[in-house]
Amino acid sequence: MHLAAHFPGVNNTTVWADPRSRSQIEFSSFEHLARTAERGKFDFFFLAEGLRLREHNGRVHDLDVVGRPESLTVLNALAAVTEKLGLAATVNATFNEPYELARRLATLDHLSAGRAAWNVVTSSDAFTGENFRRGGYLDRADRYTRAAEFVATARELWDSWTPDGTSRPFTHEGPQFTISGEFTVPRSPQGHPVVIQAGDSDEGREFAASAADIIFTRHGTLEAGRIFYADVKARLAAYGRQSDSLKIMPGVTVVTGDTDAEAQENAAEIRRQQVSPQNAILTAEQIWGTDLSAYDPDGPLPDIDPVPDSEITQGRVRHGDPSPSSRLRSSRGGPISIVARWRALAEAKGLSLRQTVIETTTRQSFIGSPATVAAELTAFVDERAADGFILVPHLTPGGLDDFVDRVVPLLQESGAFRSEYTGSTLRSHLGLPEPVWKG
């Protein structure tokens, strides 16, 4: 199996009240998690990124107020304190340009001796777009059109140098980009940086099948994972690709204890910490779409209907927003249906607002003793529900210490995971061949 570490920076599942919690911006935090991941022989270290501070009810989100550093800058620094660990940066294809981004990624690939990866994300968010001169011009339907040409153009730039170190002029003419010139960075040690696609939508799956080396996804059960795995792998043939050319790695959380029962107790306590009274109200406001500060988080659910098309939250997807293909607020995923399910659950179990939020929004993926967790992770890979996992700990920066110390050795003993790195590049860790040069 393949394993990656997600830095738990700005999100509502990180427990900041824990006395072991540290800064989400100081380099020591990034270094600690990266060194832990490398000690565990992980494939790569993964950084998310946000291009604007999120706002809720007209105020900057509390978790954003101390800043959100730029991914590639952090990873260039981590290249100096790690030797084998892959370094994956989330960079937006909507608000960047192929030449400058391809150059930055190629530079990281050289500095790290072939360990760079690019997590391609897109945005049609006009709120985020206000930070850029193009603003929010890009229609939602055009996001993946631009992203696909962006990736193809970056690969043309990386291929403009021959494997023996000769530079050749490049020319690209397409609907999204028309550029020509000479690329300044020689072909890197792994040919191209690894490309990651994050997304579960049909457009995202198709984009991953056509252009990505890894797809970062979510699925909560073994059966859901198997369905997703089969669907995405089946799309590869249309692009002349083999099944093992795309690695499926869901983001997961892990909670351990000396026994399964202790792990369940630890998981319940983490969920309580994740959903403070303040966070319970904030989460409910995202669903109801209105100010709920007058409500008691330890009291009953709000007795009002959700507000359609609310803009109470900016810079993040509102809980319960329907997919682009369905704008019906009464759909299964819409706020109206979510509120109805919450009320039914609260009435059946006698839950308060906060207890309902805990029950419905916080679930750890794998809970149990180290042996139980190791067995369940292995089963997901054996049953073709995943090729590996991107671990998202709840604690910054020591949230993977226990996993690396107690679960990884069991995976290694069973032969499910490597005991040592056998190569030096990220492609070698993932079992991906170097791209064929297309000069």
Short mmCIF file of all heavy atoms in Angstrom, two decimals, residues 179-212:
data_model
loop_
_atom_site.label_atom_id
_atom_site.label_comp_id
_atom_site.label_asym_id
_atom_site.label_seq_id
_atom_site.Cartn_x
_atom_site.Cartn_y
_atom_site.Cartn_z
N ILE A 179 1.26 30.37 -25.90
CA ILE A 179 2.55 30.80 -25.38
C ILE A 179 3.65 30.20 -26.24
O ILE A 179 3.49 29.16 -26.89
CB ILE A 179 2.76 30.39 -23.91
CG1 ILE A 179 2.64 28.86 -23.74
CG2 ILE A 179 1.78 31.10 -22.99
CD1 ILE A 179 2.96 28.39 -22.33
N SER A 180 4.81 30.86 -26.26
CA SER A 180 5.99 30.33 -26.95
C SER A 180 7.22 30.94 -26.31
O SER A 180 7.16 32.00 -25.70
CB SER A 180 5.94 30.66 -28.45
OG SER A 180 5.96 32.07 -28.65
N GLY A 181 8.34 30.24 -26.45
CA GLY A 181 9.57 30.74 -25.86
C GLY A 181 10.52 29.60 -25.55
O GLY A 181 10.56 28.59 -26.27
N GLU A 182 11.27 29.75 -24.48
CA GLU A 182 12.20 28.72 -24.03
C GLU A 182 12.05 28.54 -22.53
O GLU A 182 12.05 29.52 -21.78
CB GLU A 182 13.64 29.07 -24.39
CG GLU A 182 13.92 29.06 -25.88
CD GLU A 182 15.39 29.26 -26.19
OE1 GLU A 182 16.16 29.52 -25.26
OE2 GLU A 182 15.76 29.17 -27.38
N PHE A 183 11.94 27.30 -22.11
CA PHE A 183 11.80 26.96 -20.70
C PHE A 183 13.18 27.02 -20.05
O PHE A 183 14.18 26.59 -20.64
CB PHE A 183 11.20 25.57 -20.57
CG PHE A 183 10.65 25.24 -19.21
CD1 PHE A 183 9.70 26.06 -18.62
CD2 PHE A 183 11.07 24.11 -18.52
CE1 PHE A 183 9.17 25.75 -17.37
CE2 PHE A 183 10.55 23.80 -17.27
CZ PHE A 183 9.60 24.62 -16.69
N THR A 184 13.24 27.50 -18.82
CA THR A 184 14.55 27.78 -18.20
C THR A 184 15.09 26.65 -17.34
O THR A 184 16.24 26.72 -16.90
CB THR A 184 14.46 29.05 -17.33
OG1 THR A 184 13.50 28.83 -16.28
CG2 THR A 184 14.06 30.25 -18.15
N VAL A 185 14.28 25.61 -17.07
CA VAL A 185 14.71 24.57 -16.12
C VAL A 185 14.88 23.24 -16.86
O VAL A 185 13.95 22.77 -17.51
CB VAL A 185 13.68 24.41 -14.98
CG1 VAL A 185 14.20 23.42 -13.95
CG2 VAL A 185 13.38 25.75 -14.34
N PRO A 186 16.05 22.61 -16.77
CA PRO A 186 16.26 21.33 -17.45
C PRO A 186 15.30 20.25 -16.96
O PRO A 186 14.68 20.38 -15.90
CB PRO A 186 17.71 20.98 -17.08
CG PRO A 186 18.34 22.29 -16.73
CD PRO A 186 17.25 23.11 -16.11
N ARG A 187 15.19 19.19 -17.75
CA ARG A 187 14.35 18.06 -17.37
C ARG A 187 14.78 17.54 -16.01
O ARG A 187 15.97 17.37 -15.74
CB ARG A 187 14.46 16.96 -18.43
CG ARG A 187 13.43 15.84 -18.28
CD ARG A 187 13.50 14.90 -19.48
NE ARG A 187 12.59 13.78 -19.36
CZ ARG A 187 11.31 13.80 -19.72
NH1 ARG A 187 10.79 14.93 -20.19
NH2 ARG A 187 10.55 12.73 -19.61
N SER A 188 13.81 17.27 -15.16
CA SER A 188 14.11 16.96 -13.76
C SER A 188 14.39 15.47 -13.56
O SER A 188 14.19 14.66 -14.47
CB SER A 188 12.94 17.39 -12.88
OG SER A 188 11.79 16.63 -13.19
N PRO A 189 14.87 15.10 -12.38
CA PRO A 189 15.28 13.71 -12.13
C PRO A 189 14.19 12.67 -12.35
O PRO A 189 14.50 11.52 -12.66
CB PRO A 189 15.73 13.74 -10.67
CG PRO A 189 16.18 15.15 -10.44
CD PRO A 189 15.25 15.99 -11.26
N GLN A 190 12.91 13.03 -12.17
CA GLN A 190 11.86 12.04 -12.41
C GLN A 190 11.06 12.35 -13.69
O GLN A 190 9.98 11.83 -13.90
CB GLN A 190 10.92 11.91 -11.22
CG GLN A 190 10.17 13.16 -10.82
CD GLN A 190 9.20 12.90 -9.67
OE1 GLN A 190 8.91 11.77 -9.29
NE2 GLN A 190 8.68 13.99 -9.10
N GLY A 191 11.64 13.17 -14.56
CA GLY A 191 10.99 13.49 -15.83
C GLY A 191 9.97 14.58 -15.69
O GLY A 191 10.14 15.70 -16.18
N HIS A 192 8.85 14.28 -15.03
CA HIS A 192 7.82 15.26 -14.69
C HIS A 192 7.49 15.11 -13.21
O HIS A 192 7.49 13.99 -12.69
CB HIS A 192 6.51 14.99 -15.45
CG HIS A 192 6.60 15.08 -16.93
ND1 HIS A 192 5.57 14.67 -17.75
CD2 HIS A 192 7.57 15.53 -17.74
CE1 HIS A 192 5.90 14.86 -19.02
NE2 HIS A 192 7.12 15.38 -19.04
N PRO A 193 7.15 16.19 -12.53
CA PRO A 193 6.55 16.04 -11.20
C PRO A 193 5.29 15.18 -11.28
O PRO A 193 4.59 15.16 -12.29
CB PRO A 193 6.21 17.48 -10.80
CG PRO A 193 7.18 18.32 -11.57
CD PRO A 193 7.35 17.61 -12.88
N VAL A 194 5.00 14.45 -10.21
CA VAL A 194 3.79 13.63 -10.12
C VAL A 194 2.58 14.56 -10.08
O VAL A 194 2.61 15.60 -9.41
CB VAL A 194 3.84 12.73 -8.88
CG1 VAL A 194 2.49 12.08 -8.60
CG2 VAL A 194 4.93 11.66 -9.05
N VAL A 195 1.51 14.20 -10.78
CA VAL A 195 0.29 15.01 -10.81
C VAL A 195 -0.81 14.32 -10.01
O VAL A 195 -1.12 13.15 -10.23
CB VAL A 195 -0.19 15.24 -12.26
CG1 VAL A 195 -1.56 15.93 -12.28
CG2 VAL A 195 0.83 16.10 -13.01
N ILE A 196 -1.39 15.05 -9.07
CA ILE A 196 -2.47 14.57 -8.21
C ILE A 196 -3.74 15.35 -8.55
O ILE A 196 -3.69 16.55 -8.80
CB ILE A 196 -2.12 14.77 -6.72
CG1 ILE A 196 -0.79 14.11 -6.37
CG2 ILE A 196 -3.24 14.23 -5.81
CD1 ILE A 196 -0.27 14.47 -4.99
N GLN A 197 -4.87 14.65 -8.57
CA GLN A 197 -6.16 15.30 -8.77
C GLN A 197 -7.03 15.04 -7.55
O GLN A 197 -7.17 13.89 -7.11
CB GLN A 197 -6.84 14.77 -10.03
CG GLN A 197 -8.35 14.87 -10.06
CD GLN A 197 -8.89 16.29 -10.04
OE1 GLN A 197 -8.16 17.25 -10.24
NE2 GLN A 197 -10.17 16.42 -9.79
N ALA A 198 -7.59 16.08 -6.97
CA ALA A 198 -8.47 15.95 -5.81
C ALA A 198 -9.90 16.17 -6.25
O ALA A 198 -10.25 17.26 -6.69
CB ALA A 198 -8.08 16.94 -4.72
N GLY A 199 -10.73 15.15 -6.16
CA GLY A 199 -12.12 15.35 -6.52
C GLY A 199 -12.88 14.06 -6.70
O GLY A 199 -12.33 13.06 -7.13
N ASP A 200 -14.18 14.11 -6.35
CA ASP A 200 -15.05 12.94 -6.45
C ASP A 200 -16.11 13.09 -7.53
O ASP A 200 -16.81 12.13 -7.85
CB ASP A 200 -15.76 12.69 -5.11
CG ASP A 200 -14.80 12.19 -4.04
OD1 ASP A 200 -13.78 11.60 -4.42
OD2 ASP A 200 -15.09 12.38 -2.85
N SER A 201 -16.24 14.28 -8.11
CA SER A 201 -17.29 14.50 -9.11
C SER A 201 -16.99 13.70 -10.37
O SER A 201 -15.87 13.22 -10.58
CB SER A 201 -17.38 15.98 -9.46
OG SER A 201 -16.22 16.40 -10.16
N ASP A 202 -18.00 13.59 -11.24
CA ASP A 202 -17.78 12.88 -12.48
C ASP A 202 -16.72 13.57 -13.32
O ASP A 202 -15.86 12.91 -13.93
CB ASP A 202 -19.09 12.80 -13.27
CG ASP A 202 -18.98 11.93 -14.51
OD1 ASP A 202 -18.87 10.69 -14.35
OD2 ASP A 202 -18.98 12.47 -15.63
N GLU A 203 -16.73 14.92 -13.34
CA GLU A 203 -15.71 15.66 -14.08
C GLU A 203 -14.33 15.40 -13.50
O GLU A 203 -13.36 15.24 -14.25
CB GLU A 203 -16.01 17.16 -14.04
CG GLU A 203 -17.32 17.56 -14.70
CD GLU A 203 -18.43 17.72 -13.67
OE1 GLU A 203 -18.44 16.94 -12.68
OE2 GLU A 203 -19.28 18.61 -13.85
N GLY A 204 -14.24 15.36 -12.16
CA GLY A 204 -12.97 15.10 -11.52
C GLY A 204 -12.44 13.71 -11.80
O GLY A 204 -11.23 13.52 -12.03
N ARG A 205 -13.31 12.73 -11.80
CA ARG A 205 -12.89 11.36 -12.09
C ARG A 205 -12.36 11.24 -13.52
O ARG A 205 -11.34 10.58 -13.77
CB ARG A 205 -14.07 10.40 -11.89
CG ARG A 205 -14.60 10.35 -10.48
CD ARG A 205 -15.75 9.34 -10.36
NE ARG A 205 -16.46 9.50 -9.09
CZ ARG A 205 -17.21 8.54 -8.55
NH1 ARG A 205 -17.36 7.39 -9.15
NH2 ARG A 205 -17.83 8.76 -7.39
N GLU A 206 -13.06 11.89 -14.45
CA GLU A 206 -12.64 11.82 -15.84
C GLU A 206 -11.31 12.54 -16.05
O GLU A 206 -10.43 12.05 -16.77
CB GLU A 206 -13.71 12.41 -16.75
CG GLU A 206 -13.61 12.00 -18.21
CD GLU A 206 -13.88 10.51 -18.42
OE1 GLU A 206 -14.60 9.89 -17.61
OE2 GLU A 206 -13.35 9.97 -19.42
N PHE A 207 -11.16 13.67 -15.38
CA PHE A 207 -9.90 14.41 -15.47
C PHE A 207 -8.75 13.58 -14.91
O PHE A 207 -7.66 13.51 -15.49
CB PHE A 207 -10.03 15.74 -14.73
CG PHE A 207 -8.77 16.56 -14.72
CD1 PHE A 207 -8.07 16.82 -15.88
CD2 PHE A 207 -8.30 17.10 -13.53
CE1 PHE A 207 -6.91 17.59 -15.87
CE2 PHE A 207 -7.15 17.86 -13.50
CZ PHE A 207 -6.45 18.11 -14.68
N ALA A 208 -8.98 12.94 -13.77
CA ALA A 208 -7.95 12.09 -13.18
C ALA A 208 -7.57 10.94 -14.10
O ALA A 208 -6.40 10.62 -14.27
CB ALA A 208 -8.43 11.56 -11.83
N ALA A 209 -8.58 10.31 -14.70
CA ALA A 209 -8.31 9.19 -15.60
C ALA A 209 -7.49 9.62 -16.81
O ALA A 209 -6.68 8.86 -17.33
CB ALA A 209 -9.62 8.55 -16.05
N SER A 210 -7.69 10.85 -17.25
CA SER A 210 -7.00 11.32 -18.45
C SER A 210 -5.62 11.87 -18.16
O SER A 210 -4.73 11.78 -19.01
CB SER A 210 -7.83 12.41 -19.14
OG SER A 210 -7.89 13.58 -18.35
N ALA A 211 -5.41 12.45 -16.95
CA ALA A 211 -4.20 13.25 -16.77
C ALA A 211 -3.43 13.04 -15.47
O ALA A 211 -2.30 13.51 -15.37
CB ALA A 211 -4.56 14.73 -16.89
N ALA A 212 -4.00 12.38 -14.47
CA ALA A 212 -3.37 12.34 -13.16
C ALA A 212 -2.62 11.04 -12.89
O ALA A 212 -2.87 10.01 -13.51
CB ALA A 212 -4.42 12.56 -12.08
#
